[in-house]
Amino acid sequence: MKKNYGFKMFTVIALVMAMLVSIVGCSSSQNDTKKDDKENVSNEQPKDSNKKSDVTIELFQFKLEIAKALDEAVAEYMEENPNVKINVQSIGEGYSVQLKAKMQSGKEPTIFNVGGPSDVNDWSYKLEDLSDQPWVQHAAVGTLGGVTIDDKVYGLPYSVEGYGFVYNKAMFEAADVDVSAIKDFATLEAAVKELDGKIKSGELKEQFPDLEAVFELPAKETWLTGQHTTNIALSPELGSALNAFNAKKIDYKYSDQLKKIVDLQANYSSDADNKQKLCAVDNTTSVENGIAIGRVAMVQQGNWIYPSVNNVDQEIAQQLDILPIPLEGVIEDSIPIGVPMYWTVNVDASDEQKKAAKDFLNWLYQSEKGKEIIVNEFFFIPPFTNYEGLEAKDCLSRAVQRYTNEEKTMPWVFMGYPSGWCMDIMGTSIQKYLAGVQDWDEAIEYCKEQWEELAKDNAEN
Amino acid sequence: MKKSKKIFWLFLAPSGISFLLVVIIPMFLGIYYSFTDWNGISEKINFVGFTNYIKIFTKDPGFRDAFIFTVKYVVVEVIIVNVAGFLLALLVTKKLRVSNFLKSTFFLPNLVGGLLLGFIWQFIFTKGFESIADNLGWAFFDGWLSTPQTGFWGLIIVCSWQSIGYMMLIYVAGLQSIPQDVWEAGSIDGATGFKKFRYITLPLIVPAITIGIFMNISGAFKVFDQNLALTNGGPHNSTQMLTLNLYNTAYTYNELGVAQAKAIIFLVIVGIITFTQLYFTKKKEVEM
């Protein structure tokens, strides 16, 4: 009995020891990797000192649409430069959350993305000065404004994007509505009314059996209403994203005109009789299940929807063009153009990593091969002026370029809105207006108050 | 005696250390951050005292609305899930030939992840219901998730559908632990079906009810994925639950300090409610 007890004791202690060892082992090995990471990031020397030329960089980016093409581009680059290894992670929605988590976990990426001035402000202590990079002098006018602080450039623009009312030419032609006559809000409204009348009378039934309304307004997507739609009214008021970022308050001078834009889209949508339902309409419903299948004739979107539409129906994709969103009596012929995101380099990376990162970005945007990838694989409108002979291939990008060449553009000021204001305050207020919970003026008043509140918080930080 | 005490601590050590590392320490860190103005990014962290807490109670109607919405949701959800779970448990413990099949079928939704469920049901509510409404003209199925009411009931439907099976299993275990002879004795004493249920079954499964309600309350307060995937707080933030409000504060508004303070308040509230519930239902438990 006693012997037995001793044996039991032995097994128990052995087991516990084993557990403890494994726990300690786990945690210490974790510490080791952490240390390695830190060394990689902060020390000049990479882990393997005998293979000095090898450098590994982490690329953490947000545009899911280019994920595959980017992987291929990176593979090509690594083939040309065998001493560089680039790990790509593409995130998409929730990028900023993931980026924060990544930075806090200590596994800091070498290349990451920031949006506009407020992002730059938040991350300023992590950004490497890129002013000496060769691409800076080729950047198109206005594309570096959001990432320039005290004449220092901190980011490489992704691409140029523009949005407006994307419409299906064929439908307007079939309805005998002359698009070239649309010059301002009044003529747009008239054209929309005419088309709407013909849809309702069934005149277009034969040619476009799925067509049910002129517009689709995905009010569920608060970024679309809160950022893009409001930009039309706030761009003339604020002038630039930087001004928006620094604005302590806004007057919302053109809120009445903005109301007309929202109303136009809501009143001629498929849920015009019950506008509350627009609050549950999402992006997919307006693009893949909207304009791409010929269910609606017009949506407020940008050139970025081309690949999605093209995937659904190539014929319809060829028929798309962009009309300005007219702010009545103020600016009625321009489309908002901006840079969706910027590439930045982590200032805390090792010198070798930083060099590799800069070299890669330079290759991607400035080498002949890279330029081709940017235009033909990523479907980007290049934010640089030295892309001679490389024209955008899809009709929406060409439309954006047309407006750029005619200088009929306005800046994206929403990049400088206070964090959370556009989506959580403005976007939801438009929902409340559509649902009839709040009238327009109340909604605008509330949004103005909240702007002041949030801008104050930003200043405090 | 001394030896056994040592063994006691040795056995406790593995889980004790993990608990300390992943629960206790983060909790204290969280309490610390709730007194700062950290935005989640910057290196500057300033101590601001109770400012965050004051802000939540005085200047944050969104938090109050989310709290009211969550409480409403918890009450309805706990009632539905427990009653339905219990009824299903009664059904599958009746000696039917399909009992086992039913048991696994009812449990199945529990195995699907919350995000996935949210997106699938979003499709059902917005597209599936819409086509029913269009084809049959039933206004009831029209415009789901576009009003606060349908958003609320949508959440209730999805989450109940998911967790009823789990509660059912707990009640099945409770019912099966009741020895047959008690019922037999009851029958001999002349108790009818309902009386047997009321005076034998019910008192003897109170432990299961305690666990069921406890798990359900704490779980329902913490619902996040389904909320995010199904409505994402919409329309106009009317279906935003506490956890989603917290998440938005931290990551949309970049106010990590305020979000932490909300998390602490949340912890205290859920703690008080669940412990009160435990205290009262435990009192009802009877010893066999």
Side-chain angles (χ1 to χ4, degrees):
Chain A
M1 191 63 201
K2 211 168 187 201
K3 215 176 171 186
N4 208 353
Y5 181 71
F7 178 70
K8 260 189 195 161
M9 266 303 286
F10 173 75
T11 30
V12 165
I13 291 175
L15 260 173
V16 170
M17 289 303 279
M19 273 183 189
L20 277 179
V21 166
S22 65
I23 286 177
V24 172
C26 277
S27 57
S28 73
S29 73
Q30 247 169 5
N31 279 345
D32 278 350
T33 48
K34 240 187 196 163
K35 232 186 264 164
D36 284 346
D37 276 343
K38 267 206 184 129
E39 261 167 28
N40 266 343
V41 173
S42 56
N43 264 357
E44 244 96 297
Q45 276 172 339
K47 207 163 79 182
D48 306 319
S49 48
N50 52 339
K51 285 194 276 169
K52 253 202 159 104
S53 57
D54 277 10
V55 54
T56 303
I57 59 175
E58 307 287 330
L59 189 153
F60 195 67
Q61 72 100 18
F62 106 112
K63 239 186 189 330
L64 221 47
E65 300 98 290
I66 61 162
K68 203 170 148 242
L70 181 64
D71 283 344
E72 285 163 12
V74 165
E76 209 168 325
Y77 182 75
M78 288 197 293
E79 215 160 89
E80 282 178 29
N81 302 275
N83 60 326
V84 181
K85 186 167 177 359
I86 304 177
N87 296 324
V88 182
Q89 237 185 310
S90 298
I91 295 299
E93 210 173 313
Y95 178 79
S96 66
V97 176
Q98 298 270 346
L99 181 63
K100 274 178 220 166
K102 194 116 177 141
M103 289 287 188
Q104 279 165 22
S105 76
K107 294 190 171 178
E108 302 186 5
T110 326
I111 301 179
F112 62 99
N113 302 152
V114 298
S118 55
D119 256 10
V120 173
N121 187 53
D122 285 344
W123 290 108
S124 56
Y125 74 105
K126 279 281 174 211
L127 303 180
E128 168 84 355
D129 178 9
L130 301 175
S131 312
D132 59 347
Q133 290 300 299
W135 47 260
V136 171
Q137 51 173 320
H138 299 298
V141 181
T143 51
L144 296 180
V147 282
T148 309
I149 306 175
D150 302 331
D151 291 332
K152 283 184 184 147
V153 177
Y154 290 97
L156 184 153
Y158 247 87
S159 64
V160 171
E161 289 183 345
Y163 64 89
F165 286 138
V166 173
Y167 69 99
N168 186 331
K169 275 186 282 190
M171 290 176 179
F172 280 81
E173 273 162 28
D176 210 17
V177 178
D178 185 10
V179 177
S180 64
I182 298 176
K183 296 272 182 253
D184 49 21
F185 188 83
T187 44
L188 173 70
E189 196 177 20
V192 168
K193 251 182 210 164
E194 201 180 334
L195 182 61
D196 182 61
K198 290 193 176 159
I199 293 171
K200 281 187 182 140
S201 69
E203 236 173 277
L204 302 171
K205 202 87 211 156
E206 220 163 89
Q207 211 172 342
F208 303 105
D210 295 322
L211 186 60
E212 19 174 272
V214 182
F215 276 109
E216 187 62 278
L217 175 60
K220 185 182 181 193
E221 308 291 349
T222 45
W223 57 268
L224 190 135
T225 48
Q227 296 186 327
H228 291 179
T229 316
T230 57
N231 185 78
I232 306 291
L234 288 177
S235 189
E237 178 175 332
L238 296 164
S240 76
L242 214 55
N243 289 348
F245 180 65
N246 291 323
K248 289 273 152 286
K249 64 194 225 34
I250 47 170
D251 295 330
Y252 240 129
K253 274 190 276 184
Y254 307 119
S255 62
D256 291 341
Q257 286 95 325
L258 181 65
K259 177 174 186 286
K260 285 192 172 173
I261 294 170
V262 174
D263 282 344
L264 182 75
Q265 295 188 64
N267 291 339
Y268 295 98
S269 71
S270 40
D271 292 317
D273 50 344
N274 185 3
K275 284 188 255 182
Q276 170 142 34
K277 280 165 76 178
L278 291 170
C279 298
V281 175
D282 62 6
N283 200 40
T284 317
T285 311
S286 85
V287 181
E288 283 92 343
N289 287 325
I291 191 145
I293 56 167
R295 194 173 60 81
V296 294
M298 215 192 286
V299 284
Q300 180 206 308
Q301 285 286 0
N303 60 301
W304 55 82
I305 68 164
Y306 180 81
S308 321
V309 178
N310 199 38
N311 281 341
V312 178
D313 191 326
Q314 295 181 348
E315 242 169 75
I316 287 184
Q318 294 313 314
Q319 294 295 331
L320 300 182
D321 203 345
I322 298 180
L323 273 174
I325 306 171
L327 191 68
E328 195 175 31
V330 189
I331 301 179
E332 310 194 52
D333 61 349
S334 300
I335 67 168
I337 293 213
V339 177
M341 215 68 173
Y342 293 88
W343 300 96
T344 52
V345 176
N346 190 335
V347 74
D348 292 330
S350 74
D351 284 351
E352 278 165 348
Q353 286 179 316
K354 284 197 271 193
K355 188 179 173 304
K358 288 176 192 171
D359 286 348
F360 170 69
L361 291 177
N362 212 24
W363 174 83
L364 185 60
Y365 277 86
Q366 291 295 318
S367 74
E368 287 313 312
K369 210 178 243 171
K371 284 178 185 174
E372 203 138 303
I373 292 172
I374 293 294
V375 177
N376 294 334
E377 308 287 331
F378 291 6
F379 293 110
F380 279 179
I381 302 174
F384 296 99
T385 50
N386 58 344
Y387 274 59
E388 296 89 1
L390 280 170
E391 285 291 310
K393 288 232 168 76
D394 68 271
C395 46
L396 288 180
S397 296
R398 277 205 303 270
V400 173
Q401 263 177 344
R402 195 178 70 227
Y403 285 100
T404 318
N405 295 341
E406 291 169 11
E407 292 183 355
K408 288 181 176 166
T409 61
M410 59 168 102
W412 285 9
V413 296
F414 62 80
M415 291 294 202
Y417 292 174
S419 322
W421 184 82
C422 45
M423 291 165 71
D424 217 40
I425 306 287
M426 194 64 225
T428 53
S429 290
I430 290 180
Q431 288 183 345
K432 279 186 195 166
Y433 165 67
L434 291 171
V437 179
Q438 209 170 31
D439 74 28
W440 182 258
D441 292 334
E442 263 178 318
I444 292 292
E445 269 318 302
Y446 172 71
C447 293
K448 275 158 71 174
E449 273 166 32
Q450 289 296 313
W451 179 296
E452 276 178 56
E453 197 66 35
L454 291 169
K456 202 167 66 197
D457 284 350
N458 277 351
E460 278 166 9
N461 278 328
Chain B
M1 188 60 210
K2 224 181 167 190
K3 236 178 205 167
S4 74
K5 219 169 196 181
K6 256 186 205 154
I7 292 176
F8 169 77
W9 286 109
L10 273 174
F11 269 112
L12 195 66
S15 52
I17 292 173
S18 337
F19 189 70
L20 189 76
L21 282 178
V22 301
V23 178
I24 303 294
I25 294 178
M27 194 180 89
F28 280 102
L29 271 178
I31 294 176
Y32 162 69
Y33 280 128
S34 75
F35 292 109
T36 68
D37 67 350
W38 193 36
N39 65 0
I41 301 172
S42 132
E43 281 179 320
K44 287 181 296 182
I45 302 178
N46 303 317
F47 191 79
V48 294
F50 281 94
T51 318
N52 292 336
Y53 290 91
I54 295 168
K55 195 173 169 184
I56 292 167
F57 286 112
T58 54
K59 281 203 290 193
D60 199 338
F63 184 72
R64 189 198 60 212
D65 294 345
F67 180 72
I68 295 171
F69 181 81
T70 309
V71 169
K72 268 201 273 182
Y73 165 84
V74 170
V75 170
V76 177
E77 149 102 4
V78 167
I79 293 173
I80 290 182
V81 168
N82 281 285
V83 171
F86 184 68
L87 292 178
L88 286 184
L90 284 179
L91 176 75
V92 298
T93 45
K94 291 264 176 303
K95 298 200 168 37
L96 301 172
R97 202 178 294 165
V98 287
S99 282
N100 278 330
F101 172 75
L102 285 181
K103 251 186 249 175
S104 35
T105 316
F106 292 140
F107 188 68
L108 213 56
N110 213 282
L111 302 173
V112 188
L115 273 179
L116 203 64
L117 259 184
F119 285 123
I120 294 172
W121 275 94
Q122 188 193 60
F123 179 81
I124 296 176
F125 285 135
T126 52
K127 304 278 155 36
F129 276 28
E130 187 75 36
S131 66
I132 295 179
D134 286 349
N135 292 320
L136 299 174
W138 292 347
F140 175 76
F141 289 101
D142 198 29
W144 270 68
L145 302 187
S146 72
T147 62
Q149 292 75 27
T150 51
F152 176 79
W153 287 107
L155 265 172
I156 292 277
I157 291 172
V158 174
C159 295
S160 307
W161 183 73
Q162 187 183 19
S163 39
I164 282 174
Y166 194 77
M167 287 303 132
M168 175 197 75
L169 279 198
I170 290 177
Y171 287 121
V172 166
L175 287 171
Q176 281 172 344
S177 72
I178 302 174
Q180 283 294 323
D181 43 353
V182 192
W183 271 313
E184 271 168 32
S187 307
I188 293 168
D189 288 344
T192 54
F194 179 74
K195 280 215 170 112
K196 269 195 275 182
F197 172 76
R198 171 70 186 81
Y199 293 105
I200 299 175
T201 315
L202 216 50
L204 287 178
I205 58 148
V206 173
I209 296 180
T210 310
I211 299 173
I213 296 184
F214 171 75
M215 289 181 50
N216 216 228
I217 289 182
S218 59
F221 265 108
K222 288 186 289 191
V223 164
F224 176 74
D225 337 9
Q226 292 89 341
N227 192 197
L228 181 79
L230 191 72
T231 64
N232 198 5
H236 45 83
N237 284 351
S238 60
T239 64
Q240 194 180 55
M241 301 187 63
L242 276 177
T243 45
L244 190 62
N245 178 276
L246 227 139
Y247 172 87
N248 282 337
T249 314
Y251 292 114
T252 313
Y253 289 100
N254 286 341
E255 290 181 330
L256 212 100
V258 180
Q260 273 299 351
K262 285 182 178 177
I264 302 296
I265 296 171
F266 181 60
L267 176 78
V268 171
I269 293 172
V270 177
I272 291 174
I273 292 177
T274 45
F275 279 111
T276 328
Q277 177 260 326
L278 270 187
Y279 174 77
F280 280 108
T281 43
K282 271 246 187 258
K283 268 183 26 183
K284 289 243 183 315
E285 285 179 20
V286 286
E287 290 288 326
M288 285 277 286

